[in-house]
Amino acid sequence: MSKIVASTSHDAYVDAPESEYDGETLTAYDPNDPESIQLARQAIMKHFGLKSIPPLCNEPEPGFFEQLWNALWRW
């Protein structure tokens, strides 16, 4: 399975061909491997100093009780 690369970019590079890309690669992950997704989430949150991020590609949306637990944990 091919990996997905999560990287930073500037607005100027959004439409640039990949050969001209000048962003910073944060992590690469396998969208079908839960451990790989979790490590990617941690790398992204650490880089940007975030406590949570939206689901990544192929990552299941959190259920009601997981959302409730996360909300209580942040409170």
Side-chain angles (χ1 to χ4, degrees):
M1 183 70 189
S2 64
K3 291 194 173 199
I4 295 175
V5 176
S7 57
T8 62
S9 68
H10 305 287
D11 290 338
Y13 296 107
V14 171
D15 295 323
E18 288 186 30
S19 61
E20 298 177 15
Y21 179 72
D22 191 27
E24 175 186 353
T25 299
L26 300 177
T27 186
Y29 65 96
D30 180 350
N32 296 314
D33 178 16
E35 185 178 344
S36 179
I37 291 173
Q38 184 61 29
L39 291 173
R41 289 179 62 82
Q42 291 171 355
I44 293 168
M45 289 188 298
K46 181 179 177 183
H47 178 80
F48 291 107
L50 303 172
K51 292 186 180 186
S52 66
I53 60 172
L56 299 175
C57 179
N58 285 5
E59 185 179 11
E61 292 282 341
F64 172 75
F65 291 107
E66 186 177 353
Q67 289 178 359
L68 179 61
W69 173 255
N70 290 339
L72 292 172
W73 182 253
R74 285 185 295 235
W75 185 52

